[in-house]
Amino acid sequence: MLLELKHVSQSYNSRTVLRNLSFALDAGEIGCLLGPSGCGKTTVLRAIAGFEPITNGEIILNGQQVSSPGFTMPAEKRRIGMVFQDYALFPHLNVTANVGFGLHGQPRTQRNKRVDELLHTVGLEGSGLAYPHELSGGQQQRVALARALAPCPNLLLMDEPFSNLDVDLRERLSLEVRDILKQQGTTAIVVTHDQHEAFAMGDVIGVMQNGEIQQWDKAYNLYHVPANRFVADFVGQGVFLPGKVLNTNQVEIELGLLYCEIPGNRTLAERKGIKCKNTTVEVLLRPDDIVHDDASPLLALVEHKAFRGADILYTLRLPSGNRVLSLVPSHHVHAIGEQIGIRLEVDHVITFPVDS
């Protein structure tokens, strides 16, 4: 285990920012902290880096305790690289000098070899003499990444690294940076509020709310087996419909019967208080759970549609007045106010008690 946070809390005066936060990363893993603004993501990064003391728990890096109440190992002794939202490049230094900044003290030949290797890795060969203002935003972010990787840090921390870039470049660069980190064998933590970015980069993702990790898991499980209502709402899209547990294998909603091992699974269901027949629950339906089917007798009214290129996201009103979302291939074009046939195709039944 390269990094462990054990029951970490952090407070400013009387305000608690982090509460009993625990997670771990193996060497070479990429973790993402995902959550809304103000949930404590950046504070976690600062605590790991050694910029913030903690008031409870401990942080262990490479088997060594680096933070505990009353003790904070200096940041410069932790061998941690940082990539910031604003790149933080030195404007008076060219690309080569920026990347090699953390390699002072090494022989010039060795330093130049490492810089050339990293410029090749990040796709900036031939740009060593350029200055930051001569580069695009994406190129500047690559230089910042190369500079952070140059000293071979134990851990790389990235704070909203792509938020200043346009959407297309952000999505492409996040995949490219993941490939670079994997190629270098670098352990990293990325802070982001963008779930697509987290899904693209993270081996494991922690969804945060109010200074706590609500679920630390793989993207697939966050989407299909959310631990609570907040995670279900925050990750992906969907709506909740009222349902009734008929038995350990069936839940009834207005669109029909859903079949499962108890809603979700037995352990999860029992922890959520879903134990018995006739329990009232809320059932989460994702857009891919509602399939457009012209032959279906079950009809819904098109209230809104959002064209997404390959797909159209329809908002559909059911006869009861409840609404669901349906993701439909874009060649199925329907007008607002039109009735269309739908059917259920639910592989993962996600339920919560009505008071959750």
Side-chain angles (χ1 to χ4, degrees):
M1 203 69 67
L2 188 129
L3 175 71
E4 288 183 89
L5 275 71
K6 297 182 178 180
H7 309 292
V8 169
S9 297
Q10 206 269 357
S11 300
Y12 293 113
N13 299 321
S14 59
R15 187 170 76 92
T16 299
V17 181
L18 303 178
R19 295 178 177 84
N20 197 35
L21 188 142
S22 298
F23 67 85
L25 273 183
D26 288 325
E29 265 192 320
I30 301 172
C32 286
L33 296 177
L34 172 66
S37 297
C39 71
K41 305 185 299 293
T42 296
T43 301
V44 176
L45 235 56
R46 290 179 60 81
I48 294 170
F51 301 148
E52 298 282 352
I54 61 175
T55 53
N56 192 52
E58 62 179 340
I59 299 175
I60 299 171
L61 182 62
N62 242 354
Q64 182 179 11
Q65 186 187 79
V66 295
S67 288
S68 61
F71 168 71
T72 304
M73 177 184 286
E76 63 273 14
K77 294 186 177 181
R78 300 190 181 201
R79 286 194 59 202
I80 287 177
M82 293 283 295
V83 178
F84 300 96
Q85 181 176 343
D86 60 357
Y87 319 135
L89 300 177
F90 301 111
H92 62 290
L93 299 180
N94 63 24
V95 168
T96 294
N98 264 285
V99 175
F101 184 81
L103 300 177
H104 291 300
Q106 292 188 9
R108 177 177 294 181
T109 303
Q110 184 177 337
R111 184 169 67 244
N112 290 343
K113 180 181 179 182
R114 178 64 173 161
V115 170
D116 289 344
E117 172 192 313
L118 284 168
L119 289 181
H120 174 75
T121 297
V122 301
L124 289 175
E125 313 97 311
S127 300
L129 297 180
Y131 284 83
H133 71 273
E134 298 175 311
L135 304 176
S136 68
Q139 289 172 322
Q140 290 183 52
Q141 190 60 281
R142 292 169 189 270
V143 175
L145 175 63
R147 183 181 62 183
L149 290 173
C152 300
N154 285 323
L155 178 68
L156 182 67
L157 305 178
M158 307 180 73
D159 190 5
E160 299 277 4
F162 312 119
S163 61
N164 290 333
L165 306 176
D166 63 69
V167 174
D168 288 341
L169 180 57
R170 188 162 67 228
E171 291 182 359
R172 178 163 54 84
L173 197 56
S174 61
L175 292 171
E176 292 175 1
V177 167
R178 175 183 166 82
D179 288 343
I180 291 168
L181 295 178
K182 288 299 183 182
Q183 179 185 335
Q184 295 284 309
T186 303
T187 310
I189 297 180
V190 182
V191 156
T192 181
H193 64 275
D194 185 327
Q195 60 184 278
H196 299 294
E197 193 174 293
F199 288 177
M201 290 197 69
D203 297 311
V204 64
I205 300 165
V207 178
M208 289 190 65
Q209 180 194 31
N210 296 331
E212 299 177 308
I213 288 186
Q214 303 295 314
Q215 187 170 353
W216 179 259
D217 217 329
K218 295 185 182 299
Y220 183 91
N221 291 332
L222 294 177
Y223 187 84
H224 289 297
V225 195
N228 55 39
R229 176 70 183 262
F230 175 81
V231 176
D233 271 333
F234 191 79
V235 175
Q237 291 178 293
V239 297
F240 287 89
L241 291 184
K244 181 189 292 185
V245 176
L246 300 183
N247 54 55
T248 57
N249 296 306
Q250 291 181 318
V251 181
E252 183 180 37
I253 60 174
E254 62 183 277
L255 295 175
L257 290 179
L258 301 175
Y259 296 88
C260 54
E261 295 285 322
I262 300 186
N265 63 57
R266 180 175 296 275
T267 302
L268 192 62
E270 289 177 352
R271 187 168 73 242
K272 292 173 181 172
I274 302 169
K275 299 177 182 179
C276 57
K277 182 177 178 179
N278 294 327
T279 300
T280 301
V281 294
E282 291 182 301
V283 179
L284 175 64
L285 294 179
R286 301 289 194 188
D288 47 318
D289 293 329
I290 307 295
V291 177
H292 173 39
D293 184 353
D294 287 326
S296 173
L298 185 61
L299 300 178
L301 183 76
V302 176
E303 278 202 342
H304 181 75
K305 61 182 183 180
F307 184 77
R308 298 185 170 191
D311 307 294
I312 299 175
L313 182 66
Y314 285 102
T315 302
L316 305 173
R317 182 156 56 93
L318 303 177
S320 67
N322 287 322
R323 290 166 179 80
V324 293
L325 301 174
S326 182
L327 197 61
V328 177
S330 62
H331 55 272
H332 291 280
V333 181
H334 297 280
I336 292 174
E338 184 180 345
Q339 296 268 5
I340 66 171
I342 59 172
R343 60 180 169 81
L344 285 172
E345 197 169 286
V346 184
D347 291 326
H348 297 84
V349 180
I350 303 169
T351 66
F352 299 97
V354 292
D355 59 352
S356 65

